Amino acid sequence: MKHFLKLLDLTGDEIVNLLNIADQLKYETKNGIAHHHLAGKTLGMIFTKSSTRTRVSFEVGMYQLGGYPLFLSANDLQLGRGEPIEDTAKCMSRYVDGIMIRTFKQSDVEDLAKYGSIPVINGLTDDFHPCQVLADLMTIREHRGALAGLKMAFIGDGHNMANSLTVGGLKVGMEVCMCMPKGYDKLHPDVIAFAKTQPDFTIIDDPVAAVKGADVVITDVWSSMGQEDEAEARKKAFAGYQVNDELMAHAKPGANVLHCLPAKRGQEITAEMIDKHQEIFDEAENRLHAQKAVLLTLMGDKK
Ligand code: CP
Ligand code: NVA
């Protein structure tokens, strides 16, 4: 594994291996066992979009691994004034040992990896959010003891989270049901092509049917970063797609609920659901441990 750009690039075994490392790092973190495996290493973190969890967990994660994180707002970089990705990649490769980037276009992340000579990590694009889904899988395994054979139902927009959940879930052997209103079911063509080769994938528009027998129900905002202008139209299109008590009554008893956060309480999920399903905050915490596993695997001396 040279980069962490999208889960389509990884095998199921590679994903599970990252989860195993993440579990170990979580144990060490909780028990005060130092793990400064990236001492002397630096991570450049480029943000073109806002972030709470991704920024803080990567920054703290690098510190806990003994390394040094640099927060780089794209607006303050020459990148924000139009310097090409190619030149940015080549220059940053001379200074830092790895780059984490959150931006709009997946092609920018892929180009950073192509033109640079250091590992690149995707911290969210319009197409994918692989770090989040690694944390989601870690959380599901923690709460349910396994992944293979479980049913994941996603109720929401066919955007970055839906794409990465489809791939991540299927690669670790889960049954994946994606549920989206018509017109918002536009998963990435590469995701659809992969999912169609898998026996346990469905894409439907009926939330009740989707959550039937689900072990875990996942949702995300109806309007993602960059879609703010569509918020009113989307509120109408997604009415009836809220994760609430009524919908969860159709899932497996004791099913888990996940949300990558930030949530719009009262839209895609009720406030009561978030308060009842505190595993959502385990999911947020697990960003830290899962990303440390990625950093170690990409930037550690043992490849
Ligand atoms: N879930 C997630 O990526 O959160 P942030 O946007 O706060 O980083
Ligand atoms: N789909 C959301 C996820 C935020 C973590 C967005 O892209 O804004």
Side-chain angles (χ1 to χ4, degrees):
M1 204 173 97
K2 278 165 78 177
H3 303 284
F4 190 70
L5 308 179
K6 54 186 184 301
L7 295 178
L8 280 167
D9 299 336
L10 277 72
T11 63
D13 283 349
E14 282 175 318
I15 295 173
V16 171
N17 188 42
L18 285 170
L19 298 178
N20 294 341
I21 297 170
D23 283 350
Q24 174 65 23
L25 288 168
K26 182 169 185 173
Y27 173 82
E28 291 180 12
T29 306
K30 297 278 185 198
N31 288 283
I33 302 168
H35 41 270
H36 295 162
H37 307 305
L38 295 186
K41 299 275 168 85
T42 50
L43 178 75
M45 310 191 304
I46 303 175
F47 284 88
T48 306
K49 292 175 173 173
S50 305
S51 171
T52 297
R53 283 144 288 267
T54 305
R55 179 190 171 172
V56 177
S57 55
F58 265 106
E59 200 161 325
V60 169
M62 267 310 274
Y63 175 77
Q64 291 178 351
L65 287 168
Y68 182 78
L70 292 87
F71 172 73
L72 306 165
S73 161
N75 285 338
D76 301 330
L77 296 174
Q78 297 291 7
L79 191 62
R81 292 181 56 246
E83 182 170 12
I85 285 278
E86 180 173 348
D87 295 347
T88 304
K90 287 182 176 168
C91 293
M92 285 195 53
S93 297
R94 304 285 180 116
Y95 304 129
V96 294
D97 299 292
I99 300 177
M100 191 286 301
I101 177 165
R102 162 169 288 198
T103 192
F104 293 87
K105 283 159 57 187
Q106 179 71 16
S107 59
D108 284 349
V109 178
E110 306 266 349
D111 282 348
L112 207 51
K114 180 173 160 192
Y115 294 113
S117 55
I118 52 175
V120 173
I121 300 170
N122 178 357
L124 179 146
T125 61
D126 289 343
D127 291 338
F128 300 110
H129 199 358
C131 291
Q132 180 67 54
V133 170
L134 204 57
D136 290 11
L137 296 175
M138 180 179 176
T139 311
I140 297 168
R141 196 168 76 160
E142 248 174 25
H143 280 266
R144 305 200 79 82
L147 290 167
L150 298 187
K151 178 177 177 182
M152 168 200 294
F154 174 85
I155 315 292
D157 189 19
H159 197 57
N160 43 20
M161 278 303 297
N163 282 325
S164 291
L165 283 166
T166 299
V167 177
L170 291 173
K171 288 216 173 194
V172 299
M174 295 180 80
E175 178 186 342
V176 173
C177 180
M178 288 281 133
C179 177
M180 298 139 187
K182 291 214 162 52
Y184 294 90
D185 51 357
K186 296 183 180 68
L187 291 180
H188 191 286
D190 295 347
V191 171
I192 291 287
F194 165 71
K196 275 190 176 161
T197 67
Q198 305 296 305
D200 289 328
F201 174 70
T202 45
I203 177 162
I204 59 175
D205 62 3
D206 176 356
V208 171
V211 303
K212 197 155 187 285
D215 296 275
V216 56
V217 175
I218 310 180
T219 187
D220 183 19
V221 287
W222 294 339
S223 299
S224 285
M225 289 180 277
Q227 300 173 334
E228 289 79 5
D229 293 350
E230 301 170 29
E232 283 313 308
R234 284 172 168 271
K235 257 193 233 172
K236 289 196 190 91
F238 283 90
Y241 286 77
Q242 185 185 66
V243 174
N244 52 31
D245 276 321
E246 205 184 325
L247 183 66
M248 287 306 293
H250 300 279
K252 200 177 266 184
N256 291 109
V257 172
L258 296 182
H259 191 310
C260 61
L261 304 176
K264 285 260 189 208
R265 289 172 180 236
Q267 287 194 20
E268 76 277 4
I269 190 165
T270 56
E272 297 74 41
M273 266 296 126
I274 295 181
D275 296 339
K276 199 185 287 181
H277 288 279
Q278 291 290 302
E279 64 268 27
I280 289 172
F281 298 97
D282 294 333
E283 178 188 9
E285 175 187 332
N286 285 339
R287 293 292 303 277
L288 172 68
H289 310 298
Q291 287 157 196
K292 282 165 72 180
V294 173
L295 289 166
L296 252 190
T297 303
L298 294 178
M299 293 164 61
D301 293 327
K302 277 188 279 163
K303 291 272 175 200

